[in-house]
Amino acid sequence: MGPSAGLAFADSALVAPGALRTSALGNCARREQARPRPRRVAWRGAAYDVSEGSWRAGATSPYLDATAGAQGRAAQWQTTCAVLSGQWATAQVEEQQQQQQGQEQEQEQQSFDEGMGMGMGMVGRGLVTLPKPLAVVDLALQPKHNSQIRVSYQGVPGAYSEAAAGKAYPNCEAVPCEQFDTAFQAVELWLVDRAVLPIENSLGGTIHRNYDLLLRHRLHIVGEVQLAVNHCLLALPGVRTEDLVRVVSHPQALAQVEGTLAKLGVAREAVDDTAGAAQFIAEHNLRDTGAVASRRAAEIYGLEVLAEKIQDCSDNVTRFLMLAREPVIPRTDRPFKTSIVFTLEEGPGMLFRALAAFSLRDINLSKIESRPQRNKGLRVVDDSNHGTAKHFDYLFYIDFEASMADPRAQYALGHLQEFATFLRVLGSFPMDVTDPQS
């Protein structure tokens, strides 16, 4: 009952004090009938039992004067009811505020519990919500093309490997490495996110060093990129072609321009990479030496281009592998390629049986490469051959055009495992079907 109701009650004139008290306080009692237990509210030392609508035994209202007349007692009751109704309203407001605070605390607790309990269990109050743990699919996602990732490559700025890294991961931070092995280790030590390394060239063939490193390190092939290579003959400003006595470059590059160099009649000298050859000439001011490298290398090291596209075949493409610490999850919604390495027991028809595991399931082999095992280079046969016959133990590298998510590939590898002494999947990755010139 609010204050206005109490005053209206008190303004009902000429009502007997007893009746007024009974009516006013009875109303208060009816307001509290729904409450499960009696509440005793103390006002100025007098106790009033709300559930019973009367003063506590032995207590009287402090607002009444027993010696006053009828009109005086009526006025006193008006004041009493006004005070009672005001105090009652104040108690109700305080109780509503407490209920509201309790509801807010319950909502906060519920939100806190939901935030902390989803997939992580309940923890003590006051802690912030922990981030969602990464799942396997999160680790296997391909990097976004607009993200800044670090990619290692062999060579110095201006190398073809740098261009391949930029094509594989646009807007990446390319990190040069002195050797191929260093590029592998940079990924394993978390110094970079990826590595882009050449594996074969359409003219020079396979880069065997990187095949050996694939087996030595535990990185995974997560993609491939094809890059058109256009070799240029570079020299210091003012130097003419007929002034050159020697030409330096990477062994693969020298092999790809062998016809052009033979016509020039110059000596050839191999260095670690093509851009490094251009850098070497610029740093040492060698006016009798040219380099076979890219046009970008000429721009970086201040050399002039004496001739372009000097490779023996215009269709010169190098295939690069993209390596990472975690494999990609194979899919079947786009062309995939899988690379494996295995060894076989010696015997007639063993390699035929291995290749038949793929042929029987209509799986195309895009590449096969054999490399001697370094730790078991030669094997001596038993005494039945008089101990004179020796042969190599070989590792076989195979690329086949199927995803590991394809049941055919799974059955083929299961078949191969029946007679292979060693088998390892180097990676199952999307094929590069783009134009190498792009």
Side-chain angles (χ1 to χ4, degrees), residues 160-214:
Y160 292 108
S161 294
E162 182 192 34
K167 183 178 180 180
Y169 301 104
N171 303 321
C172 71
E173 179 186 351
V175 179
C177 299
E178 291 184 355
Q179 304 294 333
F180 289 127
D181 200 1
T182 307
F184 276 85
Q185 292 178 359
V187 182
E188 291 178 326
L189 297 176
W190 293 75
L191 301 177
V192 298
D193 304 297
R194 300 285 191 275
V196 174
L197 300 172
I199 195 65
E200 63 177 337
N201 177 263
S202 58
L203 299 182
T206 301
I207 293 88
H208 296 109
R209 174 62 176 165
N210 284 337
Y211 266 117
D212 295 338
L213 292 174
L214 280 174

Side-chain angles (χ1 to χ4, degrees), residues 124-147:
R125 295 189 61 180
L127 298 179
V128 298
T129 303
L130 298 176
K132 183 180 75 68
L134 292 177
V136 175
V137 66
D138 299 322
L139 296 176
L141 290 177
Q142 290 290 328
K144 298 180 180 179
H145 281 209
N146 59 357
S147 62

Side-chain angles (χ1 to χ4, degrees), residues 168 193 289 387 395 414:
D193 304 297
T289 306
L395 291 163

Side-chain angles (χ1 to χ4, degrees), residues 54 57 82 100 156 201 208 218 237 252 289 333 410 428 438:
S54 61
Q100 184 176 1
V156 297
N201 177 263
H208 296 109
R218 299 299 298 180
Q252 284 278 342
T289 306
D333 58 345
Q410 299 172 10
S428 188
S438 60

Side-chain angles (χ1 to χ4, degrees), residues 18-231:
L20 179 60
R21 182 180 64 177
T22 303
S23 178
L25 299 182
N27 257 315
C28 295
R30 283 193 294 271
R31 292 284 300 273
E32 288 293 321
Q33 285 179 357
R35 298 189 181 276
R37 57 191 179 91
R39 295 177 62 247
R40 296 183 181 273
V41 185
W43 291 315
R44 298 189 184 179
Y48 179 75
D49 194 333
V50 177
S51 62
E52 299 175 358
S54 61
W55 294 100
R56 191 170 49 187
T60 58
S61 171
Y63 307 106
L64 295 181
D65 186 359
T67 61
Q71 293 183 353
R73 287 195 298 272
Q76 292 174 6
W77 272 110
Q78 292 176 10
T79 304
T80 299
C81 290
V83 172
L84 288 175
S85 60
Q87 293 176 342
W88 180 257
T90 302
Q92 281 190 315
V93 170
E94 292 176 352
E95 185 177 354
Q96 290 176 357
Q97 290 177 348
Q98 293 176 357
Q99 291 178 351
Q100 184 176 1
Q101 291 177 356
Q103 292 175 356
E104 291 177 354
Q105 291 177 356
E106 290 178 359
Q107 292 176 355
E108 291 176 357
Q109 179 66 31
Q110 183 177 3
S111 300
F112 178 86
D113 294 344
E114 292 176 354
M116 299 301 291
M118 292 299 291
M120 295 184 292
M122 303 299 293
V123 298
R125 295 189 61 180
L127 298 179
V128 298
T129 303
L130 298 176
K132 183 180 75 68
L134 292 177
V136 175
V137 66
D138 299 322
L139 296 176
L141 290 177
Q142 290 290 328
K144 298 180 180 179
H145 281 209
N146 59 357
S147 62
Q148 184 75 9
I149 65 172
R150 292 168 58 85
V151 180
S152 64
Y153 68 93
Q154 188 274 330
V156 297
Y160 292 108
S161 294
E162 182 192 34
K167 183 178 180 180
Y169 301 104
N171 303 321
C172 71
E173 179 186 351
V175 179
C177 299
E178 291 184 355
Q179 304 294 333
F180 289 127
D181 200 1
T182 307
F184 276 85
Q185 292 178 359
V187 182
E188 291 178 326
L189 297 176
W190 293 75
L191 301 177
V192 298
D193 304 297
R194 300 285 191 275
V196 174
L197 300 172
I199 195 65
E200 63 177 337
N201 177 263
S202 58
L203 299 182
T206 301
I207 293 88
H208 296 109
R209 174 62 176 165
N210 284 337
Y211 266 117
D212 295 338
L213 292 174
L214 280 174
L215 190 61
R216 182 180 304 176
H217 296 272
R218 299 299 298 180
L219 299 183
H220 302 270
I221 305 174
V222 296
E224 64 177 2
V225 59
Q226 301 181 32
L227 182 72
V229 177
N230 293 317
H231 290 305

Side-chain angles (χ1 to χ4, degrees), residues 178-341:
E178 291 184 355
Q179 304 294 333
F180 289 127
D181 200 1
T182 307
F184 276 85
Q185 292 178 359
V187 182
E188 291 178 326
L189 297 176
W190 293 75
L191 301 177
V192 298
D193 304 297
R194 300 285 191 275
V196 174
L197 300 172
I199 195 65
E200 63 177 337
N201 177 263
S202 58
L203 299 182
T206 301
I207 293 88
H208 296 109
R209 174 62 176 165
N210 284 337
Y211 266 117
D212 295 338
L213 292 174
L214 280 174
L215 190 61
R216 182 180 304 176
H217 296 272
R218 299 299 298 180
L219 299 183
H220 302 270
I221 305 174
V222 296
E224 64 177 2
V225 59
Q226 301 181 32
L227 182 72
V229 177
N230 293 317
H231 290 305
C232 300
L233 181 60
L234 312 180
L236 289 171
V239 175
R240 298 174 301 177
T241 304
E242 52 268 25
D243 298 332
L244 299 179
V245 177
R246 63 172 179 167
V247 171
V248 296
S249 190
H250 188 273
Q252 284 278 342
L254 293 175
Q256 295 166 18
V257 299
E258 184 176 0
T260 301
L261 298 182
K263 293 178 182 179
L264 294 177
V266 295
R268 305 157 201 177
E269 184 175 331
V271 294
D272 288 339
D273 71 285
T274 56
Q279 184 184 41
F280 177 76
I281 293 174
E283 289 180 351
H284 295 84
N285 196 30
L286 302 176
R287 303 192 67 81
D288 62 344
T289 306
V292 176
S294 65
R295 172 174 284 276
R296 171 170 165 76
E299 297 173 355
I300 293 175
Y301 302 108
L303 303 183
E304 289 185 351
V305 178
L306 301 181
E308 287 191 76
K309 298 182 179 180
I310 63 174
Q311 58 267 19
D312 296 337
C313 180
S314 58
D315 189 14
N316 184 17
V317 178
T318 298
R319 186 168 72 98
F320 293 81
L321 297 180
M322 301 148 62
L323 306 176
R325 292 178 293 271
E326 299 290 340
V328 296
I329 296 180
R331 303 190 304 271
T332 57
D333 58 345
R334 59 176 297 182
F336 259 66
K337 183 184 293 186
T338 301
S339 181
I340 64 172
V341 57

